[in-house]
Each structure stands twice: as structure tokens, then as C-alpha cells.
Amino acid sequence: RLYEKKLDNPNIIFLPVNVNNGEIPLCIDLYSKYRNQIRKYLQKNGFDISNFHMNISESNLVSYKNKKKLFPNSYLFSNFGFSPLCGPAQKLKDINKVIELLNKWKP
């Protein structure tokens, strides 16, 4: 909830999780077309992000033609989705620092 409450950058979209409806987030999911720039910026400041996994439509098991047209969201999330520092083992001061950095970041 810390990211949800404090993250305030129009270039970074928080992908909401409905905890009140029983959804349990395993990590914080964010989205930005500037993901690679954000990674470099955070790395310069001692932090990193995890990219979303490759989308399943890129797998050799999926043999559809025009995959990008059939699965546009899959490509968007695969190319621009990421997770910042999070989890119960992380120090709150580090999470707050990442949020502060993300709020200051501009393309």
C-alpha cells in the first residue's frame, strides 16, 4: 500500500490490486514506456527493477500469425511493465527512497 499511497509520477502507472476483493499481490506492478530509462536512473542511485516476464505469445509454442495484433496488451506489459523494490524482507527506508526517486524522475 506504500507505493499505492505515495507514488505520484504521471509517467509511471501503478497497476492496482483489489486487496479488499481478495487479490493478493506478490509484488508491486508498475508500467511505463520509459522503463529502460527508469532502470538506469534507479541503478545510478543504488536500486534496480525487475522487468515483467516475456509474454507467452512470443513463445515458439504459440503459432498464430499477427501475434502483436492479437495480443497487444501482452506485448505492452512485457515491454514496459516492471516491479520496483518490494517485499517483506525489504527495509521500509529503502522502499521509501525508491518511491522518492520515482516521484522525482522525469523523462
Side-chain angles (χ1 to χ4, degrees):
R1 297 205 186 250
L2 203 53
Y3 278 97
E4 187 177 16
K5 289 178 184 177
K6 292 186 173 186
L7 183 63
D8 185 23
N9 185 321
N11 297 294
I12 302 170
I13 298 168
F14 179 84
L15 302 177
V17 176
N18 191 340
V19 175
N20 295 332
N21 200 29
E23 293 178 14
I24 300 172
L26 299 176
C27 57
I28 304 303
D29 293 332
L30 303 176
Y31 174 91
S32 178
K33 65 180 180 177
Y34 303 104
R35 180 181 72 185
N36 293 337
Q37 293 174 24
I38 291 168
R39 163 174 266 129
K40 289 176 186 174
Y41 169 73
L42 288 177
Q43 285 175 336
K44 285 181 184 178
N45 287 280
F47 298 98
D48 204 350
I49 61 171
S50 297
N51 292 344
F52 282 9
H53 296 288
M54 178 183 82
N55 63 64
I56 193 141
S57 58
E58 282 296 297
S59 166
N60 292 334
L61 300 173
V62 178
S63 61
Y64 293 108
K65 292 183 180 181
N66 300 318
K67 290 189 253 186
K68 288 186 179 181
K69 288 182 182 179
L70 288 172
F71 308 108
N73 290 338
S74 176
Y75 283 87
L76 288 175
F77 286 115
S78 178
N79 291 321
F80 302 117
F82 66 97
S83 295
L85 184 71
C86 61
Q90 304 302 321
K91 295 176 184 173
L92 285 177
K93 70 174 188 154
D94 289 341
I95 291 174
N96 279 311
K97 182 63 178 174
V98 169
I99 293 169
E100 177 187 329
L101 289 166
L102 290 173
N103 285 341
K104 288 181 181 178
W105 181 83
K106 295 179 182 169

